Amino acid sequence: MSESAGQRITESVEQTLTLLEAKEGQPRRIKAIGITADVVNANGRRYPRKVLAEAVARLNGHLHESNGQGQFVTTGEAEHPSDKGQRASILETVVKWQAASLDAPGRVLLEGVILPTAKGRDVQVLVEAGVPIGVSMRGYGTSRTIQLDGESVQEVTELTIKGFDLVA
């Protein structure tokens, strides 16, 4: 078993955003699954439920304190910043996540709004037209290599979530 420290972690989920009922004069509400615990994903990583629960609690707790309004707020870009050869940029923000929780099956459930920026409006048009938009977690943490069913798997041992981006 080997440990890796402080690595950047990005994970994509094979699912689409769900649009919630539109309300006149308000940004379009959405919900999505951010990531699921205890399964080996396409990147060969497994996130134990305990690790995800701690990361979601830290994310919610930190943002409640720093926001000063008692609300969860984190953002998401159109594609990962690293996929575009840059760091996160406020002008690339297309979604504001307002709630995150871990459900009984171990899924990180997200709720938020599509921001009415030019890129946000483009995303909304795509989703309304039935184009599948995935969700990908952005964060950092540590992992260790384990053997599972004869395969090497990176089991995440600590995670800090920075955002959930929208991806193709």
Side-chain angles (χ1 to χ4, degrees):
M1 207 177 308
S2 65
E3 291 275 337
S4 64
Q7 64 189 8
R8 181 177 50 200
I9 297 174
T10 57
E11 300 296 347
S12 296
V13 176
E14 294 293 327
Q15 66 98 46
T16 58
L17 292 177
T18 302
L19 292 171
L20 302 176
E21 187 174 335
K23 293 185 180 177
E24 185 69 34
Q26 294 184 8
R28 191 64 189 261
R29 296 204 47 77
I30 55 174
K31 65 180 181 176
I33 298 170
I35 195 162
T36 302
D38 298 322
V39 296
V40 178
N41 63 26
N43 290 337
R45 290 191 196 103
R46 181 173 71 176
Y47 293 81
R49 181 184 181 83
K50 180 178 186 271
V51 171
L52 281 181
E54 290 169 355
V56 169
R58 250 190 327 274
L59 179 62
N60 282 319
H62 171 71
L63 292 169
H64 284 196
E65 293 168 12
S66 63
N67 190 10
Q69 297 177 6
Q71 292 182 6
F72 168 86
V73 177
T74 193
T75 59
E77 295 192 10
E79 303 299 337
H80 278 304
S82 60
D83 293 345
K84 298 178 281 188
Q86 62 189 28
R87 297 176 55 137
S89 167
I90 194 70
L91 296 178
E92 294 287 321
T93 303
V94 295
V95 64
K96 179 171 77 171
W97 298 111
Q98 299 171 311
S101 61
L102 189 64
D103 71 0
R107 298 174 300 189
V108 175
L109 305 178
L110 304 169
E111 289 188 31
V113 295
I114 296 175
L115 298 173
T117 62
K119 289 183 181 183
R121 286 190 300 272
D122 289 344
V123 167
Q124 183 171 328
V125 168
L126 292 170
V127 174
E128 288 172 347
V131 174
I133 305 286
V135 176
S136 186
M137 183 188 70
R138 180 171 19 103
Y140 62 90
T142 58
S143 64
R144 63 184 178 157
T145 303
I146 63 169
Q147 292 296 312
L148 185 66
D149 299 325
E151 300 286 327
S152 290
V153 172
Q154 289 296 310
E155 183 170 74
V156 175
T157 56
E158 196 277 330
L159 175 65
T160 299
I161 297 170
K162 300 302 286 181
F164 292 92
D165 299 318
L166 307 185
V167 296

